[in-house]
Amino acid sequence: MASSLQKIEGDESVLLRVTHSNLKTFIADIRFSFQLTVEAVKDKLWKKCGTSVNSMHLELYDDARNKLADLSDNSKLLAFYSPLDGFRLHVVDLDPSSVTSGGWLEDISLVEKYKISDEAYNKLEGTFRKYKEKLSSQIPSTVEAKIPDTYMEDLCANIKAGSRCEVEPGAKRGVVKFVGRAEALGPGFWVGVQYDEPLGKHDGMVKGVRYFECPPSHGGMVRPEKVKVGDYPERDLFEDDEI
């Protein structure tokens, strides 16, 4: 306990691994200020996982998977529970009709898909297929063949998996999860990024190929020229709040 108190006095925040009772693929490392109340912690989590503050119950576990406390008092500060870096904060969704229940946010097979036959689609004007056919007729197919397999390899020299990064456009922050060739996307080198926020297009699988693992809508594959690695901590959603 003494070491925990010393850490709280020395640091102003803690990095916790967050999991969710309904979202089995949702795992995020999030930094929290010790001065946040439990209610403020819930509000920050609501923006990331979709469970409302009133329907959220929080449980704190240590790095050995031992349950330490139920964060049931919304008025208490997070510091009261003496969490350490690497501890796990588990979100329990108490609402049986929540948007997170039943797998709707993770299992795309539950979503009814609109289907159209190729014959009917070909009769439509202004479709992407028509645009692609027109573009192909205007641009020689040899253009893509001129791009070497080593395209942008030199820009990957300092981009390593596990590094924090910022991606343009949009200054989106996250973690590098993949560096290498991705033939399905085109010649040359690509960088796979797990964004801190759901700003991506996939979960690390692109065109049927698994390049890395991340929560849904958190993954992106971009060219190395768009990636800057360095000390880019996760943004605090409350840092711009008026005091």
Side-chain angles (χ1 to χ4, degrees):
M1 179 63 71
S3 61
S4 298
L5 292 175
Q6 290 173 359
K7 184 172 183 62
I8 291 174
E9 292 173 356
D11 296 337
E12 297 181 352
S13 63
V14 64
L15 186 65
L16 301 178
R17 171 65 55 94
V18 179
T19 57
H20 195 283
S21 61
N22 290 340
L23 305 177
K24 304 308 178 184
T25 61
F26 177 83
I27 300 177
D29 294 327
I30 302 176
R31 185 166 295 280
F32 298 91
S33 168
F34 280 121
Q35 301 307 311
L36 290 179
T37 63
V38 171
E39 184 174 17
V41 170
K42 290 181 178 180
D43 187 65
K44 184 172 183 176
L45 291 172
W46 160 70
K47 297 174 182 178
K48 292 182 177 293
C49 68
T51 298
S52 67
V53 172
N54 294 332
S55 301
M56 189 184 300
H57 175 71
L58 299 179
E59 299 172 345
L60 181 64
Y61 293 80
D62 63 17
D63 50 10
R65 301 183 180 181
N66 299 310
K67 184 176 179 181
L68 302 179
D70 291 298
L71 281 62
S72 54
D73 189 340
N74 285 341
S75 63
K76 287 186 176 179
L77 296 179
L78 182 60
F80 174 82
Y81 298 94
S82 303
L84 299 178
D85 285 345
F87 280 15
R88 180 166 65 94
L89 194 60
H90 185 59
V91 177
V92 179
D93 195 324
L94 303 175
D95 184 2
S97 60
S98 170
V99 295
T100 69
S101 64
W104 290 101
L105 294 183
E106 296 180 300
D107 190 352
I108 61 174
S109 67
L110 298 175
V111 180
E112 184 176 356
K113 302 174 180 63
Y114 174 73
K115 297 181 179 179
I116 184 173
S117 67
D118 282 342
E119 182 180 359
Y121 186 75
N122 287 332
K123 293 180 179 179
L124 297 176
E125 296 296 332
T127 63
F128 178 74
R129 181 179 296 177
K130 292 286 182 64
Y131 169 77
K132 187 176 180 180
E133 291 174 352
K134 181 180 179 181
L135 194 64
S136 298
S137 65
Q138 296 175 344
I139 302 177
S141 58
T142 56
V143 172
E144 182 174 337
K146 292 181 180 179
I147 300 178
D149 288 338
T150 57
Y151 180 58
M152 292 195 178
E153 181 180 10
D154 57 325
L155 298 181
C156 296
N158 298 319
I159 304 177
K160 308 296 182 183
S163 301
R164 291 289 302 175
C165 66
E166 190 171 85
V167 178
E168 297 294 347
K172 297 177 288 188
R173 293 187 179 182
V175 179
V176 176
K177 302 286 284 188
F178 169 86
V179 181
R181 296 184 179 91
E183 295 181 0
L185 303 182
F189 277 68
W190 296 80
V191 177
V193 178
Q194 175 179 324
Y195 296 118
D196 296 334
E197 304 291 339
L199 302 174
K201 298 182 179 180
H202 48 75
D203 64 351
M205 178 178 286
V206 185
K207 295 186 177 181
V209 180
R210 171 68 63 187
Y211 292 100
F212 58 93
E213 299 276 355
C214 74
S217 300
H218 282 68
M221 293 287 285
V222 297
R223 288 295 192 182
E225 63 182 357
K226 299 181 181 296
V227 180
K228 295 185 293 184
V229 297
D231 184 16
Y232 294 105
E234 184 179 22
R235 289 190 174 90
D236 188 342
L237 297 177
F238 297 91
E239 63 184 359
D240 294 327
D241 288 355
E242 183 177 351
I243 299 177

